[in-house]
Amino acid sequence: MLPAPSHLRLLLERQQYEEFFNELLPHVSDKLSTRKNVLSGWRVYARFLGETGESLLNFQQVGLEYVQWLKAQDVAPATLNNRLAQVRKLYALLLTLELVRNNPFLGTAGEHNPVDERREVYSSTEVQRLLAHADMQERLLVLLATEAGLSGSEVRRLKFGDLLADGAELRIWRVRYRQDGFEPVQVVECSAVLQDALAQWLKVHGATPLFESVPEDFLFEVEGRALTDPELLSRLYYLCQRANVIYRPWRALRHVAGVQKLAAGLDKTVVQRQVGVRWLGPLAKRAGLVDGRKVRWMKG
């Protein structure tokens, strides 16, 4: 049952946006991840309202102005389109509650965003902000994605025994890429910064690899079991909130590793296998690489 319109109006008069959004979120979706993403978008919209002086209910040209504001933030086309979809949901609920007379975003066009170019990636600045606000566990989680290119399931499966060569390598299980002639158990090299984070994590848990004293547990546990996928994403979500970084799914964090590896000149087929992306065009662009066909066209 939707909340009373009078109650919602009172919350808005008090500028209690968080309470206002929390009243509406249960009516968006039953999925926690969906509600988290929508809430993130609504918070961005509230920031837009605060900066522009627009009103949530008594608006003028918010449809066009919000698009321009988002573009000024230099958001990716996929992010812009997501933000518009999220705010459309908000006004659809407000329309049902008769708090507004129309949905100002119903006909608002987003950005052209071809399927093969949809590659969400955290920027290097955002990654640094995440690391600056992370505790020891969160720092290691972020680095496993951005440095080693591990997927969420690969991170959750890691055990202390999978740290090889004193933390210089990781043994991982890549089920999703299993195919003929493909070995699902792989060894991934760790960067110096990741090795340092792993060493600190081992020390906290009393592991001494040189003396062959290594726990048999999962690297990240909750009540004696491995993290679930929602628990892992929840850690990333709340870290994003503290660091004031727009939340994106784990794969967007993993794509950072792809950009870094391409920029370093790693073979594309190797990057495809490690990051799990068949079409590397969008990541290559972020890495500053130019498509060879375009070079030939420009020379011609």
Side-chain angles (χ1 to χ4, degrees), residues 47-264:
R47 196 167 85 239
F48 155 78
L49 294 174
E51 290 184 10
T52 60
E54 272 284 7
S55 169
L56 182 68
L57 301 182
N58 303 311
F59 47 81
Q60 298 297 321
Q61 299 291 327
V62 288
L64 179 59
E65 289 178 2
Y66 189 45
V67 171
Q68 293 174 340
W69 185 85
L70 287 171
K71 289 181 178 179
Q73 311 300 310
D74 196 29
V75 300
T79 302
L80 187 147
N81 293 341
N82 284 338
R83 294 291 173 249
L84 291 178
Q86 290 157 351
V87 79
R88 282 192 198 102
K89 290 181 180 179
L90 173 61
Y91 277 101
L93 289 171
L94 298 180
L95 193 60
T96 301
L97 289 162
E98 298 183 352
L99 287 171
V100 295
R101 293 184 178 181
N102 65 288
N103 188 332
F105 291 91
L106 202 55
T108 304
E111 289 281 274
H112 178 58
N113 189 28
V115 174
D116 60 0
E117 293 185 11
R118 295 176 189 172
R119 289 287 182 270
E120 287 190 296
V121 185
Y122 285 86
S123 69
S124 58
T125 300
E126 289 174 324
V127 172
Q128 291 307 311
R129 284 165 62 180
L130 291 177
L131 293 174
H133 288 79
D135 60 24
M136 185 181 293
Q137 182 187 95
E138 293 165 340
R139 177 179 175 80
L140 180 53
L141 288 170
V142 170
L143 291 175
L144 285 169
T146 60
E147 294 289 323
L150 270 59
S151 69
S153 62
E154 291 161 2
V155 168
R156 292 187 291 104
R157 285 174 178 266
L158 278 176
K159 292 187 175 182
F160 283 97
D162 293 323
L163 276 65
L164 311 177
D166 295 334
E169 297 176 338
L170 287 174
R171 178 175 54 212
I172 61 172
W173 182 266
R174 288 197 159 152
V175 178
R176 67 164 63 187
Y177 307 122
R178 181 181 292 175
Q179 49 189 265
D180 292 340
F182 180 81
E183 177 55 54
V185 179
Q186 297 186 1
V187 174
V188 176
E189 292 184 5
C190 299
S191 66
V193 66
L194 177 54
Q195 287 185 55
D196 180 63
L198 286 167
Q200 292 182 42
W201 192 244
L202 282 168
K203 184 177 180 180
V204 167
H205 288 79
T208 53
L210 291 176
F211 298 98
E212 298 183 354
S213 176
V214 179
E216 297 181 358
D217 310 324
F218 287 101
L219 213 58
F220 307 102
E221 287 194 347
V222 174
E223 299 177 351
R225 58 168 174 77
L227 282 177
T228 63
D229 190 55
E231 288 170 341
L232 176 64
L233 296 181
S234 178
R235 280 161 171 73
L236 176 58
Y237 173 80
Y238 286 112
L239 175 57
C240 286
Q241 293 295 304
R242 293 203 310 275
N244 195 26
V245 169
I246 295 175
Y247 170 79
R248 301 177 187 85
W250 186 269
R251 62 178 176 274
L253 202 59
R254 189 186 189 196
H255 287 161
V256 174
V259 173
Q260 293 179 163
K261 292 175 187 296
L262 288 169

